Amino acid sequence: MALPQIKQDATDARLAVLDMPQGGWAQAAREDAVARVRSMGLPSGRDEYWKYTRPDTLVQPEAPKAALLETDEAPIFGEVDRLKIVFIDGVFSAEESDDLAMEHVSIDRLADVRDIHWAKDVYGVLEARGQSPVQRPLAALNTAFATDGVLIHVTGRAPKPISLVYRHLSETSDAILHHVVKIESGAELTLLENGPAAARFNKCMEVEIADGGTFHHVRAQGRDHERRAATAIFTRLGEESVFKSFTLTANGKLTRNECVIELTGDNATAHVAGACVGDGDFHHDDTVFITHDALNCESRQVFKKVLRNGATGVFQGKILVKEGAQKTDGYQISQSLLLDEDSQFLAKPELEIYADDVACSHGSTSGAIDEEGLFYLRSRGIEEGPATDLLTIAFLAEAVMEIEDEALQDEINARVEAWLARRRG
Amino acid sequence: MLNITNLHVQLEEEDKQILKGVNLTVEAGKVHAIMGPNGSGKSTLSYVLSGKDGYEVTEGSATLDGEDILDMEPEERAAAGVFLAFQYPVEIPGVGNMTFLRTAVNAQRKARGEEEMSASEFLKVVREKAKELKIDAEMLKRPVNVGFSGGEKKRNEILQMAMLEPKMCILDETDSGLDVDAMKLVADGVNALRDEGRGFLVITHYQRLLDHIKPDVVHIMADGRIIKTGGPELALEVENNGYADLLAEAV
């Protein structure tokens, strides 16, 4: 079916300014992906899943200019013992990165074209699976045109986290990165990500988790306010495997974080959580799709948004329980704390269930600070500002507590506290 | 210490007068009890003194050691020494009880220009006081009042009072929802805090609590006023005869 003319034109205009990296094992996957982009077209505001988030600035040929943040705040995760991999405006920095070597883990770069690579069984494969039933053209665009990324193969328990650091130094950078993670049977990795990355950032990450594998992901999307980002995680879980992902987003004119999870092995666990704090012309969108296609799997979606001064939060979360996926335990909660009357939260929780022996619960709320709680704290001598902050941190707690490592929880909470304290001046 | 003079209060949202000229003085070192039927304005008095929103003072004054407290924010009143033990302590999911206590103690110290309590000192003191109230380590770790039984919540109020060491303690129906043993425990906690420099205002429906916390003065409140003041024997009179006789007498 032909695309609407406007969509066709926008897609052509975007593709016209992009160069596909040539050669190597990923070539076929890139060709397939660009064909997907051409047939789907890039998103427009008329698309069902882009109703609440305008995709224009993510689709337009040039990245909108984004001023850089001047701050003396030390980047997060600085104290964590980690293997650091740094990208500056989407370009790998060998100078700032650690050696890409660690026990039980092989790390390569997408840009290092080699003929034979394990990643070809994953690259573009999970993304392509994730295009149905909901199209995600920006992710296909990413597969086709990503200039770099890391390919992480984990065969045992990684001795320390891998930390991807995205620095942003150019006001007009337009970065496309694509990471592939493969966790072998019984292997385990924690992946950290932080930083604003670029004026505009399109990032895709595919995570294949074999039976009994464990993947922890903690991400802090930085404070540069004018940046725009569209990110997507595609993951497929084997038997008794574990996937846990948490994202903190502070500021950002436009952030769309998609997470597409497929539970294909019995007794697997997938948790995806997000906390965001936004002020003013802040727009944050979490779009999650979880497919239960095996027995006795557990999934949790916990999303909390703190919004003030006209900030906007969006949540689109779906649980699909396929026929035969009995004993599914699905939980979904999306809540916003609106610190004033100008802010808004748009939520679209969806459940689609084809099995009869499942427990799925979902809830979505918007509300102001609890006045009773506030008075209680103040009556004990805590000033209104700090008391409000305490209640705000408490509101986010359910999401932050999805992070298993308590030291990382503390790091995230400290960032939120600092963000709130700055707002009080 | 606490001086309430001709206090008139109405609800902000509706034109409804709740307190109609309350006069009351609580001296340092004394325990005053206020009894009265439902709807007489007892809880309103406790909220107005601690600074809850939604009430408008139309006439009269309330001072603590000569300082007008009605113009203060709730946190300023707390730093000045006012403490309200809530009838229904509020659950605050996500805020750990210890974090809450330490934040409160240090906020008040800071407001009074005192040095903050160190983490180790705080821990030592809180463990000691918690033990006396039979509050275990697990309860201290849990979010404030979340999943606490009625008795645990009231004990937690007394623990806060013990940690904050206020000058003027207001107990709003602290006995409600308590069994005999729990009431004894709470009363012991309160009695341990009785001190020359500290005043208590104990609001209750029943004389029972006053068996454990012996009052110096008992007031009967009805329809927004204090209609009778006497010694501990007044509480016994209420226990035996109810409020009807007193109300009739007042009219």
Side-chain angles (χ1 to χ4, degrees):
Chain A
M1 201 176 72
L3 296 173
Q5 195 59 47
I6 293 177
K7 196 172 243 210
Q8 184 71 59
D9 292 346
T11 304
D12 289 345
R14 180 69 181 121
L15 292 175
V17 299
L18 287 167
D19 291 316
M20 186 184 289
Q22 293 298 311
W25 58 268
Q27 189 68 37
R30 290 181 186 275
E31 301 285 355
D32 288 350
V34 80
R36 284 197 291 281
V37 175
R38 289 192 191 284
S39 79
M40 294 185 275
L42 291 174
S44 81
R46 288 169 178 265
D47 298 348
E48 173 72 16
Y49 278 84
W50 289 92
K51 262 188 189 163
Y52 307 120
T53 299
R54 287 178 65 99
D56 324 27
T57 52
L58 298 172
V59 169
Q60 71 185 48
E62 308 296 338
K65 199 171 162 185
L68 303 176
L69 175 77
E70 284 179 24
T71 173
D72 46 17
E73 186 182 34
I76 195 170
F77 306 141
E79 303 297 313
V80 179
D81 181 23
R82 57 184 174 160
L83 188 149
K84 190 165 86 167
I85 303 174
V86 181
F87 291 89
I88 301 172
D89 292 299
V91 179
F92 174 72
S93 167
E95 198 178 308
E96 293 194 24
S97 300
D98 294 330
D99 285 343
L100 304 186
M102 188 160 61
E103 203 186 344
H104 305 308
V105 182
S106 80
I107 306 169
D108 290 300
R109 285 174 48 214
L110 177 61
D112 287 339
V113 179
R114 285 196 283 147
D115 275 344
I116 298 168
H117 208 284
W118 59 264
K120 70 177 186 299
D121 295 333
V122 185
Y123 189 85
V125 174
L126 299 189
E127 173 260 300
R129 286 178 70 91
Q131 296 292 350
S132 167
V134 179
Q135 296 185 342
R136 306 170 200 282
L138 290 170
L141 185 84
N142 182 301
T143 301
F145 296 101
T147 53
D148 209 345
V150 286
L151 313 170
I152 303 170
H153 189 196
V154 190
T155 51
R157 195 188 159 96
K160 57 185 175 185
I162 292 177
S163 171
L164 305 178
V165 177
Y166 306 114
R167 296 183 57 204
H168 173 202
L169 297 179
S170 152
E171 292 191 342
T172 55
S173 54
D174 192 12
I176 306 180
L177 294 180
H178 193 121
H179 309 309
V180 176
V181 180
K182 189 170 183 188
I183 312 277
E184 292 295 353
S185 185
E188 185 174 341
L189 175 74
T190 296
L191 182 73
L192 309 175
E193 291 185 282
N194 71 288
R200 181 169 68 180
F201 190 32
N202 180 331
K203 195 204 70 186
C204 186
M205 179 160 73
E206 294 171 288
V207 186
E208 175 91 79
I209 310 175
D211 296 350
T214 300
F215 179 68
H216 290 283
H217 175 227
V218 179
R219 166 167 65 168
Q221 292 174 313
R223 289 214 279 121
D224 291 40
H225 182 62
E226 295 189 3
R227 69 188 159 76
R228 290 172 164 80
T231 77
I233 299 171
F234 296 91
T235 185
R236 182 163 59 180
L237 283 83
E239 229 170 82
E240 292 181 13
S241 65
V242 175
F243 169 91
K244 288 190 179 177
S245 173
F246 170 87
T247 301
L248 170 71
T249 309
N251 304 344
K253 263 197 165 146
L254 176 56
T255 308
R256 161 91 156 204
N257 290 332
E258 300 201 18
C259 190
V260 182
I261 297 170
E262 205 182 341
L263 295 145
T264 58
D266 296 347
N267 305 309
T269 303
H271 293 193
V272 52
C276 79
V277 288
D279 189 348
D281 60 342
F282 166 92
H283 186 105
H284 183 90
D285 175 333
D286 284 300
T287 295
V288 180
F289 199 111
I290 299 183
T291 304
H292 281 262
D293 196 11
L295 291 173
N296 201 31
C297 291
E298 178 201 290
S299 73
R300 279 172 71 84
Q301 303 171 52
V302 181
F303 287 90
K304 305 267 182 160
K305 300 180 199 296
V306 175
L307 305 168
R308 47 175 278 163
N309 281 331
T312 301
V314 176
F315 174 77
Q316 309 185 95
K318 177 152 180 172
I319 306 173
L320 169 63
V321 181
K322 288 198 170 175
E323 206 179 324
Q326 302 294 12
K327 305 286 181 195
T328 284
D329 180 2
Y331 173 75
Q332 180 197 82
I333 185 87
S334 65
Q335 295 181 306
S336 71
L337 176 63
L338 306 176
L339 293 179
D340 54 52
E341 290 186 355
D342 302 326
S343 300
Q344 61 171 343
F345 177 52
L346 304 156
K348 193 172 78 165
E350 292 178 278
L351 297 179
E352 195 176 329
I353 301 172
Y354 297 99
D356 55 13
D357 185 13
V358 302
C360 279
S361 62
H362 68 105
S364 183
T365 63
S366 295
I369 283 278
D370 172 31
E371 290 295 333
E372 294 287 326
L374 188 62
F375 174 63
Y376 191 65
L377 295 178
R378 294 180 70 189
S379 78
R380 298 304 181 243
I382 305 170
E383 286 179 61
E384 186 172 9
T388 305
D389 289 0
L390 205 53
L391 292 174
T392 304
I393 304 259
F395 166 77
L396 295 175
E398 188 187 1
V400 176
M401 273 155 62
E402 286 292 327
I403 303 172
E404 217 155 83
D405 184 319
E406 285 186 18
L408 292 176
Q409 284 183 15
D410 291 344
E411 288 239 11
I412 294 293
N413 278 330
R415 296 291 150 157
V416 176
E417 275 168 39
W419 188 92
L420 292 166
R422 278 192 298 276
R423 299 270 156 332
R424 285 196 281 111
Chain B
M1 169 166 270
L2 178 70
N3 255 302
I4 303 170
T5 311
N6 194 30
L7 188 64
H8 286 70
V9 171
Q10 66 180 39
L11 291 177
E12 246 169 29
E13 305 233 315
E14 44 191 308
D15 194 17
K16 191 181 170 196
Q17 199 79 28
I18 310 278
L19 300 184
K20 303 172 179 172
V22 174
N23 289 294
L24 180 68
T25 299
V26 180
E27 309 82 5
K30 300 288 183 199
V31 174
H32 285 232
I34 297 188
M35 302 180 74
N38 290 322
S40 57
K42 306 187 297 294
S43 286
T44 296
L45 179 64
S46 72
Y47 284 142
V48 169
L49 292 175
S50 53
K52 193 171 198 234
D53 276 347
Y55 301 98
E56 191 189 342
V57 176
T58 52
E59 212 183 322
S61 68
T63 60
L64 184 67
D65 290 338
E67 217 179 340
D68 179 9
I69 57 168
L70 296 180
D71 274 343
M72 295 182 188
E73 297 293 341
E75 57 269 27
E76 294 169 336
R77 299 180 197 208
V82 177
F83 180 93
L84 169 64
F86 282 56
Q87 184 181 0
Y88 304 107
V90 182
E91 296 187 5
I92 309 186
V95 177
N97 215 7
M98 283 289 240
T99 310
F100 166 57
L101 276 169
R102 200 172 64 233
T103 310
V105 167
N106 283 331
Q108 292 202 13
R109 290 184 161 224
K110 200 175 148 204
R112 291 195 293 259
E114 298 165 10
E115 207 169 306
E116 293 189 7
M117 215 185 229
S118 73
S120 59
E121 190 191 351
F122 172 81
L123 210 61
K124 186 169 161 273
V125 177
V126 83
R127 282 198 181 132
E128 208 172 279
K129 305 206 175 204
K131 202 177 160 196
E132 285 165 16
L133 287 160
K134 295 204 168 74
I135 292 176
D136 60 23
E138 183 56 31
M139 246 175 91
L140 288 172
K141 268 193 244 161
R142 268 158 39 192
V144 180
N145 294 326
V146 177
F148 286 28
S149 70
E152 287 174 334
K153 282 181 182 172
K154 295 295 170 79
R155 263 146 56 198
N156 201 28
E157 293 292 288
I158 304 305
L159 175 64
Q160 291 167 39
M161 195 162 92
M163 289 303 296
L164 295 169
E165 300 182 320
K167 277 194 233 167
M168 185 64 227
C169 306
I170 305 163
L171 281 70
D172 187 9
E173 297 200 23
T174 293
D175 51 339
S176 69
L178 294 187
D179 60 37
V180 181
D181 294 336
M183 192 185 310
K184 178 84 173 38
L185 206 55
V186 164
D188 289 347
V190 172
N191 289 330
L193 286 168
R194 288 181 77 157
D195 179 282
E196 286 298 304
R198 187 170 286 139
F200 286 86
L201 191 57
V202 179
I203 294 170
T204 182
H205 269 301
Y206 303 107
Q207 196 268 338
R208 210 172 46 160
L209 180 68
L210 303 179
D211 284 343
H212 300 290
I213 306 173
K214 298 258 188 291
D216 299 296
V217 183
V218 174
H219 308 273
I220 306 298
M221 194 163 178
D223 193 28
R225 283 185 200 92
I226 289 183
I227 57 164
K228 190 161 185 179
T229 296
E233 72 287 349
L234 191 53
L236 288 168
E237 194 184 322
V238 168
E239 182 75 2
N240 294 331
N241 306 331
Y243 291 111
D245 292 351
L246 289 167
L247 293 178
E249 206 178 299
V251 173

